[in-house]
Amino acid sequence: MPPKRIAVIGAGVSGLGAIKICLEEGLEPTCFEGSHDIGGLWRYEEKAKSSRPSVYESATSNTSKEMTAYSDYPFPDHFPNYLHNSRIMEYLRMYVQHFHLLKHIHFLVSGVCSVRKRSDFSCTGQWDVIVETAGKQKSYVFDGIMVCSGLYSDPFLPLQNFPGIKRFKGQYIHSLEYKNPEKFRGKKIVVVGIGNSGTDLAIELSHVASQVFLSTRRGAWIWNRVWDNGMPVDTVLFTRFNAVLTRFYPTFLINRWAENKLNARFNHDVYGLLPQHRFLSHQATFSDDLPNHIISGRILIKPNVREFTETSAIFEDGTEEDLDVIIFATGYTTFSFPFLENNSTVLDSQRSMFKFVFPPQLEKPSLAFIGILQPVGAIIPTSELQSRWAVRVFKGLNKLPSVSGMMDDIRKKREKIEKEFLNNPRDTCRVQYVDYMDEIASEIGVKPNLLSLFLWDPKLAKDIFFGPCTPYQYRLQGPGKWAGARRAILTQRERIIKPLRTRTLSHDQPPYSVPFWLKSICAVLLFVLTLIIIKG
């Protein structure tokens, strides 16, 4: 039989992974990309387009390279741990070239006009897809659809929540339109919103503006990329060992530990940032530099804006500040798929998706949403693992539960989210990195077998259990097994350290280290104890 034809919508980081996985599984992908190049959000463009967001010129990743890589293609060892957008684009081009993906991408597609079920969908699971290029429409028939258009497409600009904004005589923009600070030199600026982008912009602007105000409704917990011993924070915290601990520790103890840790760096109350929520209840903000800019007066933290006048902002505490520019870092609307037919069996009003991938009501599981979620971690390995699962479902190698079973799983996840997180759009599709990766990996059969590894390869098992949960772990066994996975895991620490150690030091006496055999014995004992606790 001819290979199934799969439409991939979008050539960003999720779409590229989807193309590669389709090829890996013997499918025939066709990717439709609206711009002239790959990279999606990560491709810097000087002129912003509302329909195609892109990063600002200085944007740097919040996840480290070892945690961000595709599972069978590590970043070069000389790349820095946190990557400027130009380095991410360099890596994506290397990935595309290595796996010969470019010939499967159709660029400058004006738009995917419609994706509709064919009349015989209940038998074939096929879709009619209409795309427009250079003013001409063309129809295709596909056996499966992978929607990789991302969460960040339509900017959210809630002007109705800010009385007086229409009479403000200065400039106001969404953070989407910001590219670099030069044209804001000497201005008085308020940035509304304390997410990652808002904080980054406030810091960068503070070097050229006469004053920057950072306005926040509820405050935020601020954590930084550099953690204990100078290691990337995600390589320290996102481990299987920590994932086991969090299952047994009460939530209030985890919150207390995290908040004490962050307050030890700087007191969030003193700095005007103390949020109204606990640490685990809402996504924290990454910033290495914010406290330094607050303590030096470059950034002044303000409460929510009550109203704007022609030349100023009046805040909820009654203070008033003159302004030249307002930047709304208020995020993006989620779940925007205008090309999908308005049919509840395709996607219902609540945007229900089984494990954030499959609409549960479809007669045939031939539609998958890839990367349409908010992992507490990197999106590349998360979306790649989703693609590995999706294509196996397309091929009939993996089966989904019944409709009632999927809806029950969706309901339980929603209840958990409502219980644990704030009522915020960003949190409705939030997942914990290790837990979610293991959940999807279990569907495919690629979750590492720790017990077997501790018996036959204790060195590798130790790194898998206590070290960072890097994507290579999901290439050790099962479908898509990669021969280089073991080596990639055992050498990941070397790739973390290499770009840091650019000055060679000579030591008269080597630092003391615990013998490997002793580490192995301790690791095995701790693992056995963990198994006893889990089963008991």
Side-chain angles (χ1 to χ4, degrees), residues 289-535:
D289 301 322
L290 182 59
N292 301 332
H293 286 67
I294 294 173
I295 203 168
S296 63
R298 289 179 174 179
I299 294 176
L300 300 180
I301 303 297
K302 304 294 285 186
N304 194 36
V305 175
R306 190 173 71 200
E307 65 174 307
F308 290 105
T309 70
E310 291 183 350
T311 59
S312 67
I314 301 173
F315 298 93
E316 289 183 346
D317 61 358
T319 58
E320 184 173 1
E321 302 288 353
D322 291 336
L323 295 175
D324 301 302
V325 179
I326 304 163
I327 299 179
F328 289 100
T330 45
Y332 296 80
T333 56
T334 56
F335 303 116
S336 177
F337 312 112
F339 47 82
L340 283 179
E341 64 177 299
N342 187 16
N343 186 320
S344 62
T345 65
V346 175
L347 201 60
D348 63 24
S349 59
Q350 293 183 294
R351 304 293 193 265
S352 301
M353 300 177 195
F354 178 57
K355 300 188 188 301
F356 300 100
V357 177
F358 289 103
Q361 304 285 356
L362 278 178
E363 305 98 303
K364 296 286 185 179
S366 57
L367 171 65
F369 293 89
I370 306 298
I372 313 296
L373 77 171
Q374 190 86 47
V376 183
I379 190 64
I380 286 179
T382 310
S383 63
E384 183 198 29
L385 200 56
Q386 288 180 324
S387 291
R388 292 173 67 187
W389 179 36
V391 297
R392 291 184 63 79
V393 171
F394 290 170
K395 292 176 67 176
L397 299 174
N398 284 93
K399 303 295 183 184
L400 298 182
S402 64
V403 173
S404 60
M406 288 190 282
M407 290 304 298
D408 188 52
D409 181 83
I410 292 168
R411 178 183 56 78
K412 288 178 180 177
K413 281 186 169 58
R414 281 183 179 151
E415 290 174 355
K416 187 173 186 291
I417 287 171
E418 289 172 2
K419 180 181 177 182
E420 295 180 357
F421 303 141
L422 298 180
N423 182 20
N424 185 286
R426 290 176 66 189
D427 292 316
T428 58
C429 51
R430 180 180 173 190
V431 296
Q432 298 298 331
Y433 177 78
V434 178
D435 293 343
Y436 184 76
M437 292 287 281
D438 277 356
E439 183 180 357
I440 302 302
S442 296
E443 295 287 337
I444 312 169
V446 297
K447 180 182 174 182
N449 187 331
L450 275 173
L451 181 58
S452 174
L453 286 171
F454 264 110
L455 292 173
W456 302 108
D457 196 343
K459 183 179 181 181
L460 179 62
K462 178 179 70 70
D463 280 7
I464 289 175
F465 189 64
F466 293 104
C469 186
T470 46
Y472 327 121
Q473 294 189 12
Y474 302 100
R475 289 283 184 174
L476 286 167
Q477 62 186 53
K481 180 180 177 180
W482 173 46
R486 182 181 187 275
R487 175 172 171 76
I489 294 168
L490 295 178
T491 56
Q492 59 198 11
R493 180 170 172 80
E494 296 171 17
R495 288 192 300 278
I496 292 171
I497 291 174
K498 181 170 181 176
L500 301 174
R501 194 170 281 166
T502 55
R503 172 179 169 236
T504 303
L505 301 177
S506 59
H507 298 282
D508 294 334
Q509 184 177 351
Y512 173 77
S513 62
V514 179
F516 174 73
W517 63 267
L518 183 56
K519 289 181 181 178
S520 299
I521 291 174
C522 293
V524 171
L525 289 174
L526 186 54
F527 178 70
V528 171
L529 180 61
T530 302
L531 286 179
I532 293 171
I533 293 172
I534 292 173
K535 293 180 178 179

Side-chain angles (χ1 to χ4, degrees), residues 205-243:
L205 286 163
S206 70
H207 293 283
V208 300
S210 65
Q211 184 62 60
V212 172
F213 306 97
L214 183 54
S215 171
T216 171
R217 282 183 303 163
R218 58 168 65 99
W221 293 106
I222 309 295
W223 57 345
N224 51 315
R225 296 177 176 91
V226 183
W227 206 246
D228 296 346
N229 302 308
M231 291 293 102
V233 61
D234 50 3
T235 66
V236 178
L237 297 183
F238 297 166
T239 69
R240 294 186 179 280
F241 175 68
N242 286 339

Side-chain angles (χ1 to χ4, degrees), residues 10 28 31 51 62 80-82 89 95 119-120 123 176 192 226 241-242 275 279 291 301 351 397 420 436 439 464 475:
E28 186 181 316
C31 178
S51 59
N62 288 327
N81 283 284
Y82 290 102
M89 284 301 300
Y95 182 77
S119 58
D120 58 354
C123 297
L176 162 75
V192 178
V226 183
F241 175 68
N242 286 339
F279 175 77
I301 303 297
R351 304 293 193 265
L397 299 174
E420 295 180 357
Y436 184 76
E439 183 180 357
I464 289 175
R475 289 283 184 174

